[in-house]
Amino acid sequence: NDLDILLITDQKIDIKYLRTALENVTGIHTQVLVLSQKALLVGLSTDPLYQAMLSKCVTKKRVIYKAQRRINYQILDLHLLKSQTLLYNYDLLDGNEKYYLTRNIIAIKLFLLNRKITQENMDNEIEKELKVKASRIKKNLLDKRDFLKEYKRIYNETFSLILESIPHGSKPQQTNRPSHRKPS
């Protein structure tokens, strides 16, 4: 639906100008993300969504990054909280939104299990865990009761994995956001 561009540079870039120029040339809505090499490596080591983002990309030069995985339970908890939206707003979301939130939770789980995060792996895990093809989620062709039952199970498992990743003796910091209620 759109064109996502990741620029890896330490130079200052006029993102608005670049986005507008690309949209004028291609006629496609464009999103531009500019990161330094260091910021990209930090993101790849701590954030499963960075790995998902780079799993399917086109580049002029081959890009190989070896980043040591570091679990930052606070980042993972925030990403998981985003996926909680599906549990409380199922009927308000379209198929693409449900797929995005499902893929998000699967990426977190794969990251915690130290498995490779690629589009193919996420779709395979969705089919295995939720017993539904990703294409059916995108088309919103779901049995609500069965889907939500499996989604809650995966949510709870992933939340437990995040809690297990917290180093002993550490206490999660208090934040000004709703508590992380474990869906029943």
Side-chain angles (χ1 to χ4, degrees):
N1 295 332
D2 63 358
L3 181 61
D4 297 320
I5 296 181
L6 172 64
L7 289 176
I8 304 166
T9 184
D10 289 321
Q11 297 176 7
K12 186 158 175 66
I13 304 288
D14 184 347
I15 297 172
K16 287 182 181 181
Y17 173 78
L18 179 59
R19 186 181 67 235
T20 302
L22 289 167
E23 287 178 357
N24 289 339
V25 169
T26 64
I28 300 172
H29 176 71
T30 304
Q31 296 179 27
V32 179
L33 178 62
V34 178
L35 294 174
S36 69
Q37 185 89 5
K38 183 179 177 182
L40 179 63
L41 287 173
V42 169
L44 285 171
S45 68
T46 60
D47 192 330
L49 300 183
Y50 274 72
Q51 291 180 27
M53 173 179 61
L54 288 182
S55 73
K56 191 175 182 181
C57 69
V58 177
T59 178
K60 188 174 183 177
K61 295 181 182 178
R62 188 176 173 112
V63 180
I64 299 174
Y65 291 101
K66 296 231 182 223
Q68 181 68 33
R69 183 180 67 107
R70 290 182 298 126
I71 295 178
N72 182 329
Y73 66 89
Q74 292 152 326
I75 289 174
L76 298 175
D77 186 45
L78 284 173
H79 286 314
L80 187 63
L81 188 61
K82 181 173 31 176
S83 285
Q84 193 177 38
T85 303
L86 192 146
L87 295 169
Y88 298 109
N89 297 296
Y90 179 91
D91 292 325
L92 301 175
L93 301 172
D94 67 28
N96 286 324
E97 292 165 326
K98 289 173 186 167
Y99 173 71
Y100 170 78
L101 295 170
T102 303
R103 192 181 67 170
N104 183 63
I105 199 170
I106 293 297
I108 296 166
K109 187 170 182 181
L110 290 173
F111 183 80
L112 288 164
L113 296 173
N114 202 21
R115 292 181 43 208
K116 190 171 183 176
I117 301 169
T118 65
Q119 190 66 45
E120 184 180 356
N121 286 357
M122 288 186 288
D123 286 348
N124 288 340
E125 195 70 15
I126 286 170
E127 188 172 344
K128 177 182 154 199
E129 291 283 345
L130 290 155
K131 299 162 184 64
V132 64
K133 290 195 178 288
S135 61
R136 290 187 61 82
I137 297 172
K138 290 177 191 176
K139 294 176 184 171
N140 214 8
L141 301 172
L142 302 167
D143 179 289
K144 178 180 176 179
R145 196 182 97 239
D146 291 343
F147 180 80
L148 285 177
K149 178 182 172 188
E150 293 304 318
Y151 192 89
K152 284 179 189 178
R153 179 186 58 77
I154 293 168
Y155 182 94
N156 291 335
E157 286 174 6
T158 306
F159 184 60
S160 293
L161 287 170
I162 291 172
L163 290 177
E164 290 171 16
S165 76
I166 299 172
H168 295 299
S170 293
K171 291 184 181 178
Q173 294 179 338
Q174 292 294 323
T175 61
N176 294 329
R177 66 175 178 87
S179 64
H180 221 322
R181 293 180 299 170
K182 206 172 184 183
S184 53

